[in-house]
Amino acid sequence: MDTTYNVKFWKTGVNVGKRKTTYTVRWELNGREHRQTFVTAALAESFRAGLVSAARKGEAFSLSTGLPVSHISQAAGVTWYDFAIQFVDQLWGRTSANNRRNVAKVLTPVTIALLRSQPTAFKGVDVRRALREYAFNTLRRDQAPPEVALILRWVERNSLTMAAWEDEGVVETVLWAAGTKLDGTPVAASSARRTKRVLNVLFEYALKKKVLKENPLPKGKGAAGAASKTSSAVDKRSLLNKEQAAKLIGWVYARPRGGQRLHTFFAAMYYAGARPEEVVAIDVGDVRLPDADADDQWGELLLHTAHPEVGRQWTNTGEVREQRGLKGRAADDTRTVPCRPALTRILRAHIDKEGLKPGDLLMQGEKGGDLAGSVIRRAWRRARKEVLTPYEFGSPLGRRVYDLRHTCLTNWLNAGVPAATVAEWAGNSVPVLLATYARCIDGQLDDLKQRIEGAGELPDPAAAGV
């Protein structure tokens, strides 16, 4: 336990101010001074008497809060490291692999900030890896190599107790550490939001277990990280026009190895607006295409599964990708997306060439199975480098594969498809859709300009002889 019996008291200090007088109780634990200020002498003396009485009874004092153990919550009886592991383990079985990974990323810098001293016998990168990849991974913790297990035992011995969260100064220090990169620059605002979200869930669990009496995260506009602002709106510079998309996807098609297979993947994103993890999970049986000689060549895709790539160490199956339901939807829910004639032709040719049948994945890797995310990203980066000008390559234009989805949804909105319909096809809510793509909608701009001009203008002073 993070406690000591080495305590020393001073007389109550009197602070005479211009408007009021306050009274400060000061005491020392192992050479570290603690103080607490009160508005009346009676309150200060009562508080000091309680501290002195506890010391005379031989009661231990918490090094984190400075208070006798009887004066504080159960937080002093459990270390942060042990509680963080307990939190991870109870969360593991009911959360996704991607969320497990995110929780580990958040808890790693927090744990390092809550050490009594920073490690000197180990490299910082090794400590972070040990925490992220083993301590906060329920399945791998007992499989840690000897050198990693040594680091984790050191962390366990040197972790502060949960009582540290009752000290506002410690809370501020920890949040600063969690919101700062190793080079001293702030983390992305989205990362700061994720940290706060994970810690809020952890503290709710701590309250439920009666380890803490209240959530220590600061609240209100002055809260740490409140100044970090993010915009969910798509950067219009990232959107591709038709010519750019054709060149990029066409370059992929011409690749000698796997080009046609990847071309189908990128075309599905560009024309159907599905997420990458949804496209790789499409079953051939869920591709509803008309007969080749039908007059109407519109088909539809039935999406009901996603295969996000999170890393085999975070999944229950040991596979790189995890099988999940659609984002933001109930389990086994299905979303229907229209398949325009251009995509119908591409998918029909792909299915015929690969000899696929219902039950097979539409998009497969070179040796079968899921199409690897690294292959997708590598092909897209190469296509951008070969097709775009140096200026365009250095710009946000199509920088991410996901920008193909953004381009598709923007094209639908600009074509006049109702927002509610686009939201249904995209798997978003209407508010999220409009907040994301409002800056990119310009298909009706000419009509709006004419309406504004039709309202009339002020007379020209020169023509009126003023």
Side-chain angles (χ1 to χ4, degrees):
M1 187 179 293
D2 184 22
T3 58
T4 183
Y5 295 91
N6 184 14
V7 57
K8 178 181 179 181
F9 299 97
W10 281 282
K11 291 183 179 180
T12 301
V14 180
N15 315 302
V16 180
K18 292 183 178 180
R19 296 185 177 180
K20 62 179 180 180
T21 299
T22 58
Y23 303 85
T24 300
V25 177
R26 296 169 57 226
W27 69 105
E28 183 182 283
L29 300 177
N30 283 0
R32 180 187 173 189
E33 181 180 321
H34 294 265
R35 60 175 61 199
Q36 193 157 332
T37 301
F38 299 86
V39 294
T40 68
L43 288 174
E45 288 302 328
S46 176
F47 177 76
R48 184 178 185 278
L51 298 182
V52 173
S53 175
R56 288 174 177 172
K57 293 178 182 178
E59 188 172 337
F61 280 63
S62 167
L63 290 171
S64 300
T65 65
L67 299 175
V69 172
S70 62
H71 287 208
I72 58 179
S73 66
Q74 298 180 30
V78 57
T79 67
W80 157 259
Y81 178 77
D82 288 338
F83 186 81
I85 286 179
Q86 179 185 345
F87 170 71
V88 167
D89 289 348
Q90 62 84 32
L91 200 66
W92 189 271
R94 54 189 178 88
T95 191
S96 69
N98 190 54
N99 191 58
R100 296 168 183 171
R101 182 179 62 179
N102 287 336
V103 169
K105 286 182 178 179
V106 169
L107 298 184
T108 294
V110 173
T111 300
I112 293 175
L114 286 172
L115 293 172
R116 290 195 186 92
S117 60
Q118 293 304 297
T120 56
F122 312 105
K123 294 181 180 179
V125 64
D126 293 334
V127 176
R128 291 190 296 273
R129 178 177 175 273
L131 290 170
R132 185 180 62 251
E133 301 294 333
Y134 290 94
F136 302 132
N137 187 309
T138 301
L139 297 182
R140 301 184 74 198
R141 190 179 307 125
D142 293 337
Q143 303 171 7
E147 63 274 14
V148 172
L150 182 64
I151 293 174
L152 296 183
R153 286 195 296 271
W154 181 88
V155 171
E156 184 176 14
R157 291 194 305 270
N158 285 274
S159 176
L160 294 175
T161 69
M162 288 292 288
W165 290 105
E166 297 174 346
D167 185 327
E168 292 183 1
V170 173
V171 173
E172 183 177 346
T173 299
V174 172
L175 293 181
W176 181 87
T180 307
K181 298 179 183 177
L182 294 178
D183 61 4
T185 60
V187 299
S190 58
S191 297
R193 287 204 315 271
R194 179 179 62 199
T195 295
K196 189 172 183 180
R197 183 171 62 249
V198 170
L199 289 180
N200 267 318
V201 175
L202 182 144
F203 290 134
E204 288 176 5
Y205 180 68
L207 293 175
K208 179 181 177 181
K209 293 296 182 180
K210 302 186 184 305
V211 174
L212 291 177
K213 295 180 178 179
E214 62 180 5
N215 188 329
L217 291 184
K219 301 174 179 62
K221 294 183 178 180
S228 299
K229 297 184 181 297
T230 57
S231 173
S232 59
V234 170
D235 186 344
K236 197 171 183 178
R237 298 174 299 168
S238 68
L239 302 179
L240 299 159
N241 61 37
K242 184 170 64 176
E243 291 74 20
Q244 292 164 338
K247 290 180 180 178
L248 287 167
I249 299 178
W251 184 92
V252 172
Y253 182 87
R255 283 183 50 160
R257 182 175 177 179
Q260 295 183 24
R261 186 183 300 110
L262 287 169
H263 169 266
T264 304
F265 171 86
F266 292 129
M269 286 201 63
Y270 177 78
Y271 283 126
R275 299 178 176 90
E277 62 268 25
E278 295 170 345
V279 177
V280 299
I282 296 176
D283 187 289
V284 174
D286 295 323
V287 180
R288 308 297 173 84
L289 303 180
D291 293 334
D293 56 355
D295 293 334
D296 184 358
Q297 286 297 302
W298 279 85
E300 63 181 17
L301 304 177
L302 303 183
L303 306 180
H304 53 79
T305 307
H307 291 175
E309 189 176 52
V310 293
R312 57 175 50 90
Q313 69 269 38
W314 302 106
T315 63
N316 292 327
T317 61
E319 299 292 333
V320 174
R321 290 186 182 273
E322 179 185 39
Q323 183 169 325
R324 302 283 297 176
L326 298 179
K327 182 178 181 180
R329 297 211 173 202
D332 300 326
D333 199 358
T334 300
R335 189 172 90 242
T336 303
V337 182
C339 180
R340 61 189 296 168
L343 182 57
T344 294
R345 291 191 295 271
I346 293 172
L347 295 183
R348 182 183 291 118
H350 172 74
I351 292 173
D352 291 344
K353 181 178 182 300
E354 298 291 328
L356 302 176
K357 58 184 182 299
D360 294 337
L361 284 176
L362 179 65
M363 312 293 175
Q364 298 184 13
E366 188 173 353
K367 298 181 180 180
D370 285 323
L371 187 59
S374 58
V375 174
I376 296 170
R377 292 186 294 272
R378 186 163 57 245
W380 188 250
R381 283 196 300 266
R382 184 66 184 275
R384 289 185 75 249
K385 187 174 183 179
E386 295 294 332
V387 171
L388 302 180
T389 66
Y391 172 79
E392 291 172 335
F393 181 76
S395 74
L397 179 65
R399 182 174 292 168
R400 303 183 307 158
V401 175
Y402 207 93
D403 290 329
L404 288 169
R405 168 178 161 88
H406 289 324
T407 297
C408 176
L409 270 56
T410 300
N411 289 341
W412 284 344
L413 291 170
N414 286 337
V417 180
T421 302
V422 174
E424 174 62 25
W425 292 347
N428 284 336
S429 66
V430 174
V432 168
L433 180 82
L434 295 179
T436 304
Y437 298 98
R439 299 177 184 176
C440 304
I441 303 174
D442 55 16
Q444 297 82 34
L445 185 57
D446 290 340
D447 180 57
L448 295 175
K449 288 178 179 178
Q450 292 178 10
R451 292 187 184 188
I452 293 173
E453 289 183 356
E457 299 177 351
L458 296 175
D460 186 348
V466 177

